[in-house]
Amino acid sequence: MQSPFRPLLKPFLPLAALLLLILPLLTGCQDQAPEPSATDAPRWVKTAPLSASSAHTLSLTGVLRARYETPLAFRVSGQIATRHVDAGQRVNQGEVLFTLDPSDLEESLAAARAELAAAEAALDVAEADLSRDRKLLEKGYLSRQAFERAELGVRENRTRREAASARVTQARNALEHASLRAEADGVLIDVSGEPGQVVGVGQAVARLAQEGPREVEVNFPARSRPPQTGELLVGERRIPLTRREVAGAADPASRTWRARYRLEAPLEERSLGDVVQTRFTLPDATAQARFQVPVAALDERGEGPRLWQVVEGEAQPLPVTLEQVTREHAWVSGDGLEAGQAVISLGTHLLTAGMAVRPLDAKEAP
């Protein structure tokens, strides 16, 4: 007897047969091992050789400074009432820059004057008593001991008057010091005081660059002691520099020596604070081997300047000291550097210590 469901199953038979054929193929694909990822292979890197630089000159940037840069501050404390100047303004000696609220200082002067008046009145009374006691002593109505006591009273009151007079002078001077004046002709390179600000004695509110000689401040690498002479490069001009002072110790943060050089010729076309180019000839004792590399080979990610080299198929960092840098090249020095040594010259900001790398060679490149 024919099943009633047979006509319904006819359309599904070819589909079931197709599934039975595909299932073994899928199972076989799952058993195959995954192919290695392209990221597991060593990365191709471009390298460049170190070029030795035989020059014993050192080019550094400096900042143009005044010989005398004086912080300006009040000699008395108080609240700033007025401000008459701005940064960059040229001022003359004696010109008023700031004033303080004089209310408290005027009261102090009034109190000192009242104290002086009281001391003078007490002295007048003591001198009058002494005059009467002298007449009594001459007539024998007063003992020598009492007269000497009157003399000491006059001397004591005279001393009090002198002290009160000195306090009046101090209060008068304090009131005059409520106006801060320029100590010399020059330019204000910094102004920090503002009206309403309460300042203490000696707290700087401005900095005055006095008229006169100009200098260049230069920071030298820790391994290079600042030489005695150098030159300032201004276009085609060469202005001689003479060392005036050197910091007593290297800066602990930047590991550099701060030096000040005096300009031996006037420089009118530059302003204070301008960045200038300097050049120095290093003595033979301090001359260091320097190497030129492409600027892209430098890696500075908060750990100091460094280069990268390929060691047994891995990228390894090489700390260096940066001597000079231009738009295309950099000059470095350091231990372990040799002329012709290959360093990675591109993409150094993507490298990590121990990363598998492979120098890019035209014959091996795909």
Side-chain angles (χ1 to χ4, degrees):
M1 183 177 179
Q2 186 177 2
S3 173
F5 298 101
R6 187 180 183 105
L8 298 176
L9 293 176
K10 272 186 178 183
F12 295 99
L13 291 179
L15 180 61
L18 182 60
L19 291 175
L20 291 175
L21 292 175
I22 293 177
L23 185 61
L25 295 176
L26 294 176
T27 306
C29 292
Q30 291 178 353
D31 294 339
Q32 294 179 0
E35 295 183 358
S37 173
T39 58
D40 297 333
R43 291 192 175 185
W44 296 94
V45 292
K46 185 178 180 180
T47 60
L50 294 177
S51 300
S53 175
S54 58
H56 292 167
T57 60
L58 185 61
S59 296
L60 297 171
T61 57
V63 179
L64 194 62
R65 301 284 191 188
R67 170 64 179 86
Y68 299 102
E69 295 182 357
T70 309
L72 303 179
F74 286 99
R75 298 186 184 183
V76 293
S77 59
Q79 185 180 46
I80 296 178
T82 61
R83 165 179 162 175
H84 303 280
V85 292
D86 295 310
Q89 182 174 335
R90 186 173 297 276
V91 295
N92 299 320
Q93 184 176 7
E95 183 177 345
V96 176
L97 310 179
F98 295 86
T99 60
L100 294 178
D101 182 359
S103 303
D104 292 342
L105 300 175
E106 290 173 349
E107 293 295 333
S108 297
L109 179 58
R113 286 173 174 170
E115 185 179 354
L116 175 60
E120 290 176 343
L123 178 60
D124 291 341
V125 171
E127 289 178 343
D129 290 342
L130 180 62
S131 178
R132 286 191 298 269
D133 290 346
R134 182 176 289 108
K135 294 178 181 179
L136 294 175
L137 178 65
E138 292 174 354
K139 295 179 180 181
Y141 298 142
L142 187 70
S143 65
R144 170 61 62 176
Q145 182 180 5
F147 179 75
E148 291 177 351
R149 187 179 297 111
E151 285 184 325
L152 291 175
V154 171
R155 193 178 306 170
E156 179 182 1
N157 282 280
R158 186 177 291 116
T159 302
R160 289 178 178 175
R161 185 192 64 177
E162 293 174 354
S165 178
R167 281 191 284 271
V168 169
T169 302
Q170 287 179 338
R172 186 182 299 113
N173 291 340
L175 185 59
E176 293 178 356
H177 294 157
S179 296
L180 180 62
R181 301 176 181 271
E183 298 181 358
D185 296 344
V187 178
L188 294 173
I189 58 178
D190 180 41
V191 177
S192 59
E194 296 291 347
Q197 178 182 354
V198 177
V199 295
V201 177
Q203 180 180 344
V205 293
R207 181 177 292 272
L208 175 66
Q210 299 185 19
E211 294 287 350
R214 294 292 184 253
E215 297 182 344
V216 176
E217 184 176 276
V218 185
N219 292 317
F220 285 81
R223 296 184 180 182
S224 301
R225 291 290 295 179
Q228 185 65 32
T229 58
E231 58 182 1
L232 177 66
L233 310 180
V234 184
E236 299 298 329
R237 291 181 61 191
R238 301 292 184 268
I239 300 179
L241 300 176
T242 302
R243 190 183 69 195
R244 184 180 65 82
E245 68 174 12
V246 182
D251 185 88
S254 61
R255 304 305 304 165
T256 57
W257 293 92
R258 182 186 60 82
R260 284 265 190 141
Y261 286 84
R262 183 176 61 253
L263 275 68
E264 299 299 338
L267 183 62
E268 302 295 341
E269 60 269 27
R270 294 298 183 93
S271 303
L272 294 175
D274 282 354
V275 177
V276 293
Q277 189 70 26
T278 61
R279 183 167 61 193
F280 302 91
T281 300
L282 299 178
D284 293 338
T286 61
Q288 304 176 28
R290 301 195 307 162
F291 301 90
Q292 177 181 317
V293 295
V295 72
L298 277 178
D299 180 18
E300 294 184 281
R301 285 181 277 176
E303 301 177 6
R306 57 183 179 176
L307 302 176
W308 290 84
Q309 59 182 345
V310 181
V311 179
E312 297 181 355
E314 295 181 349
Q316 296 296 339
L318 186 62
V320 295
T321 299
L322 181 61
E323 303 286 352
Q324 183 184 354
V325 63
T326 63
R327 187 171 295 181
E328 297 180 356
H329 297 93
W331 285 262
V332 298
S333 62
D335 299 332
L337 298 182
E338 298 178 357
Q341 179 179 354
V343 295
I344 300 176
S345 61
L346 195 63
T348 55
H349 64 286
L350 300 175
L351 300 176
T352 58
M355 176 184 290
V357 294
R358 186 176 183 183
L360 182 63
D361 188 272
K363 297 181 181 179
E364 300 176 352

